[in-house]
Amino acid sequence: MGARPLSPRRPWNGRRVLLGVTGGIAAYKAVQLARDLTRLGAAVDVVLTAAAAEFVRALSFEGVSGRPAFRDLFAAGDAALHIRLAREADVVCVAPATADFLARAAHGHADDLLTTVLLATPAPVVLCPAMNDRMYGHPQTQANLEHLGQRPGYSIAGPATGPLAYGEDEGPGRMLEPEEVLEHVGRALAAGPPWVGKQVLVTAGPTREPLDPVRYVGNRSSGRMGYAIAQAAWRRGAEVTLVSGPTALEPPVGVSSVLVETAREMHAAVADVLPRADVAIMAAAVADFRPAEARTSKIKRGKAGARIELELERNPDVLAETRDRRRPDAVVVGFALETDHLVRNAEMKLREKDLDLIVANDPRDRDAGFEVETNRVTVIDRSGTVEELPLLLKDEVAERVLDRIELALAGRSATGA
Ligand code: CTP
């Protein structure tokens, strides 16, 4: 989802992010990260170590964040800088975090601005290791990471496996990409009750119903709405499983994805995961019908003549036909695409499919629905409350839907249901 436009939004907007940069070749990625965080509405305070300044200049960061970038623990006129930065941060993210920095952090060193901030901050800390694969694999580095990862409020993001610096091998040690780090920072900012420890199931995307080995019956769903919900639920602290039909999207960060093609495969995957789910959100555009016969060889134009009869048969209704797999206390949310009588038809689906909430939209709305970044939805609950949301980015629609689910979850734990 890297190419999405970035604009101020939850949970970054209005928050203070202290971005620590240490001396590795991946420091260049930190400039992009500072830029993206700033575009999401965060105020980004950058602290460079002396080694980082060998790779990238403070000025580069100031140019993208619009704020001073710091290097010096002993700068004249601001003796308590480390205390101020540490106190004001809502989250501290060190990207890249080199082997040397991890060693110093693990031992509580305080010999430069970044390590002193780390000791002084009450904020959650996200460390993004980046180094040569052998340095990463060294038992001392592994011990340092394990030790740091067990600290309350600390999380280790990455590294990824892939090509390392020029002339080196491929291996584990590559810093996560900025758009992945953003999500880890988002989770550090947003995770909290009632989501932490909750299992969330999301379905997304279209299904493809094969006609022959080349062709299929499908629909225009891009999967964006469901992917945005899965990502936002993970940021709030949940364990998320995404059951997705074919899409062009990158898998959401931190989410375990189950990729399926057909409605029947989606049905089986959902039936498998649902018994563990505290929350189920069914945003997939499941094909209601499939070709009655999926040919094993390609339908040849020459042999088919001028006209083809296509016989379709009904697919399972994934949402309705997995009802007996739901936990009694699960919060279940469906989507509804309606071209006529939106509220009335959506309410009917809510009752028929036994849902807590239904999110309805009209696919003919040009700014909403399929293949666009925005959506205009109406949220209806069991009690018949109808909330019409304005045109919003799908990411914000996802947050609003999760806000409603959060209320339902809070209600359940209050009544002990
Ligand atoms: N759904 C499903 N399995 C299907 C069809 C729909 O699980 N075979 C789910 C969708 O994921 C969505 C909800 O049911 O959460 C409503 O989907 P929608 O396509 O709007 O409704 P349908 O039940 O297909 O009804 P209709 O075609 O009559 O509008």
Side-chain angles (χ1 to χ4, degrees), residues 83-289:
I83 302 298
R84 180 169 66 78
L85 289 174
R87 199 173 35 222
E88 288 175 356
D90 292 308
V91 58
V92 174
C93 172
V94 183
T98 59
D100 177 65
F101 172 80
L102 294 172
R104 292 192 296 129
H107 288 89
H109 285 213
D111 54 0
D112 64 6
L113 183 56
L114 185 56
T115 46
T116 44
V117 165
L118 207 60
L119 287 186
T121 191
V125 174
V126 179
L127 301 174
C128 305
M131 66 200 72
N132 164 277
D133 57 340
R134 286 172 300 279
M135 292 171 81
Y136 176 70
H138 193 286
Q140 186 59 60
T141 305
Q142 288 300 313
N144 293 339
L145 277 167
E146 196 180 319
H147 177 70
L148 288 164
Q150 281 168 2
R151 278 228 186 104
Y154 276 57
S155 58
I156 313 290
T161 298
L164 298 166
Y166 175 76
E168 292 194 53
D169 300 334
E170 296 214 354
R174 213 180 132 80
M175 193 178 110
L176 296 187
E177 295 305 318
E179 62 267 26
E180 297 172 290
V181 180
L182 285 181
E183 296 299 340
H184 285 273
V185 170
R187 181 162 160 116
L189 286 168
W195 297 95
V196 174
K198 290 280 191 300
Q199 298 283 339
V200 174
L201 165 64
V202 181
T203 68
T207 62
R208 277 183 190 171
E209 311 297 330
L211 199 50
D212 70 12
V214 183
R215 306 175 180 99
Y216 59 83
V217 174
N219 62 66
R220 291 172 52 203
S221 167
S222 66
R224 284 196 187 106
M225 194 62 249
Y227 276 56
I229 289 174
Q231 190 65 88
W234 181 77
R235 283 197 300 265
R236 289 188 187 210
E239 303 302 317
V240 182
T241 305
L242 172 68
V243 176
S244 174
T247 75
L249 304 173
E250 291 289 329
V253 174
V255 166
S256 78
S257 297
V258 181
L259 302 180
V260 298
E261 290 247 336
T262 65
R264 285 186 291 179
E265 286 169 13
M266 187 169 277
H267 182 248
V270 166
D272 184 40
V273 180
L274 200 53
R276 296 190 296 279
D278 299 286
V279 176
I281 306 161
M282 306 294 200
V286 186
D288 287 323
F289 294 91

Side-chain angles (χ1 to χ4, degrees), residues 57-68:
R57 296 190 60 189
L59 203 59
S60 313
F61 289 100
E62 297 189 8
V64 296
S65 70
R67 300 168 66 83

Side-chain angles (χ1 to χ4, degrees), residues 203 263 282-288 315-320 333-338 349 353 355 358:
T203 68
M282 306 294 200
V286 186
D288 287 323
N315 262 331
D317 181 328
V318 177
L319 188 44
V333 181
F335 275 68
L337 273 177
E338 304 294 347
K349 277 182 196 166
K353 302 192 188 203
L355 308 174
I358 192 151

Side-chain angles (χ1 to χ4, degrees), residues 45-56:
D45 290 314
V46 176
V47 173
L48 293 111
T49 61
E54 298 289 329
F55 289 89
V56 57

